[in-house]
Amino acid sequence: MHRSSRGGFNGFVVLMSVFMLCFAANSQLTTDFYSKTCPNVLQIVRREVMKAIKVETRMAASLIRLHFHDCFVNGCDASLLLDGSDSEKLALANLNSARGFEVVDTIKAAVESQCSGVSGGPTWKVQLGRRDGLVANLTAANTTQLPSPFEGLNSIISKFVAVGLNITDAVSLSGAHTIGQAKCATFSNRLFNFGGTGSPDTTIETSMLSDLQSICPINGDGNRTTAFDRNSQDLFDNHYFQNLINNRGVLSSDQILYSSDEAASTTKTLVQTYSTNPSLFFTDFANSMIKMGNISPLTGSNGEIRKNCRVANS
């Protein structure tokens, strides 16, 4: 993963490999799946992703989140992109929250215009060849599989384990919150009456608490946003972990990686290590993204190659 002067990183191209799916159907994923069928796909996808990030830096974080929310439900099969009454877009974790679908559409169109029927591509070596799922799973997206910002650490870890990921993956992928924005609705429960105590969450640093209370007052607009990684919101770096050590994690699910009782024997040491070792964080993040991209992919004759990312082929 390579940082740019604007704080993006070229690895964002890999986010699209799950969404811009396949083509000549090999039975297994490979790292050179498109070398013959669409040799320029990497350049095509990178160009469109970087265009979108140039227009809005936050889009980088939004695309990572799409990848995460797709892979944890039904595996990495682009089911999150499907429209319809059972669309995963309607799940509580995604409704009026998941974003970047239009960017996916734009990239799909750009790839199809030059490589009809094929797409995808990594910056780091991601195995390619996933096919698109035929159905979405609103129930799973709503209740059973996606980690929630309101859950305890043990529950979150168990959801990672359930899809073949481990504690290192949970911590490194949480580091994606080094960029992006959080809605008031996802953390306002910490600001005034946390857990029914009548007081704010004691693990929020005082000055940040005051600032967040002004942004997200009682009965305020739950759709207002603030940066996940305060003072480093547009740079993909390890500052997020430094914030956790200083009680400046915005979501409860961020701060518990360092401050909870459960963290002492699970995640706290990794947070401390990443806070002082950005190279290790970058390496682990890239590896965890690759692992997440390989959650239950459809290959061979399973699934299909969608003509339109939002609708299963008729």
Side-chain angles (χ1 to χ4, degrees):
M1 180 170 62
H2 307 287
R3 289 163 50 180
S4 74
S5 60
R6 284 183 59 83
F9 63 93
N10 292 337
F12 283 127
V13 174
V14 76
L15 303 177
M16 309 318 300
S17 68
V18 168
F19 302 131
M20 307 288 91
L21 303 169
C22 1
F23 350 77
N26 290 347
S27 60
Q28 300 293 328
L29 304 184
T30 65
T31 58
D32 60 352
F33 193 89
Y34 308 107
S35 60
K36 293 182 179 180
T37 56
C38 191
N40 295 323
V41 68
L42 178 62
Q43 291 82 2
I44 297 168
V45 176
R46 177 184 285 121
R47 181 188 68 227
E48 298 302 327
V49 171
M50 297 313 295
K51 280 182 183 178
I53 294 173
K54 186 175 181 180
V55 171
E56 182 190 15
T57 305
R58 181 188 175 192
M59 187 53 66
S62 298
L63 294 176
I64 287 181
R65 190 164 184 260
L66 283 186
H67 186 36
F68 182 90
H69 281 218
D70 178 59
C71 290
F72 267 65
V73 179
N74 286 8
C76 294
D77 66 347
S79 59
L80 178 58
L81 302 182
L82 289 169
D83 291 333
S85 60
D86 195 41
S87 175
E88 293 166 27
K89 297 173 184 177
L90 303 178
L92 293 177
N94 297 323
L95 186 63
N96 298 320
S97 178
R99 57 198 302 273
F101 298 107
E102 294 78 9
V103 176
V104 174
D105 292 338
T106 298
I107 295 169
K108 174 68 170 176
V111 171
E112 289 294 326
S113 69
Q114 296 192 40
C115 306
S116 180
V118 300
S119 59
T123 295
W124 49 73
K125 290 187 177 181
V126 179
Q127 291 184 319
L128 306 176
R130 299 167 189 82
R131 294 173 68 87
D132 299 307
L134 303 177
V135 296
N137 192 334
L138 175 59
T139 300
N142 252 336
T143 61
T144 60
Q145 295 178 11
L146 282 174
S148 162
F150 309 111
E151 287 184 281
L153 182 57
N154 287 340
S155 177
I156 290 173
I157 290 174
S158 71
K159 289 186 175 181
F160 276 78
V161 171
V163 294
L165 304 180
N166 58 31
I167 290 174
T168 297
D169 301 317
V171 178
S172 64
L173 291 173
S174 294
H177 287 173
T178 182
I179 53 177
Q181 301 277 318
K183 294 169 62 173
C184 289
T186 62
F187 61 84
S188 58
N189 66 308
R190 305 181 67 201
L191 304 182
F192 301 98
N193 183 25
F194 184 59
T197 62
S199 301
D201 186 345
T202 58
T203 63
I204 305 179
E205 186 268 331
T206 304
S207 63
M208 189 180 86
L209 173 62
S210 178
D211 186 32
L212 293 180
Q213 287 175 331
S214 66
I215 295 171
C216 308
I218 295 174
N219 298 322
D221 181 1
N223 288 317
R224 289 195 67 185
T225 63
T226 189
F228 278 117
D229 190 357
R230 302 168 72 82
N231 301 320
S232 183
Q233 62 179 320
D234 291 333
L235 183 65
F236 197 99
D237 57 13
N238 66 330
H239 189 263
Y240 161 84
F241 297 102
Q242 297 169 16
N243 275 346
L244 300 188
I245 291 173
N246 292 306
N247 287 341
R248 295 176 69 83
V250 175
L251 301 183
S252 175
S253 56
D254 290 326
Q255 192 59 50
I256 60 175
L257 296 174
Y258 181 78
S259 300
S260 66
D261 292 339
E262 295 84 358
S265 60
T266 55
T267 57
K268 185 173 183 177
T269 298
L270 268 174
V271 170
Q272 293 170 322
T273 300
Y274 290 156
S275 74
T276 59
N277 191 336
S279 295
L280 179 62
F281 165 51
F282 292 165
T283 297
D284 285 354
F285 181 83
N287 288 335
S288 294
M289 288 289 286
I290 292 169
K291 287 178 65 177
M292 187 172 69
N294 287 331
I295 296 172
S296 303
L298 299 175
T299 60
S301 60
N302 295 313
E304 66 179 12
I305 305 161
R306 280 184 221 148
K307 301 300 182 184
N308 181 335
C309 287
R310 295 171 177 262
V311 183
N313 297 340
S314 57

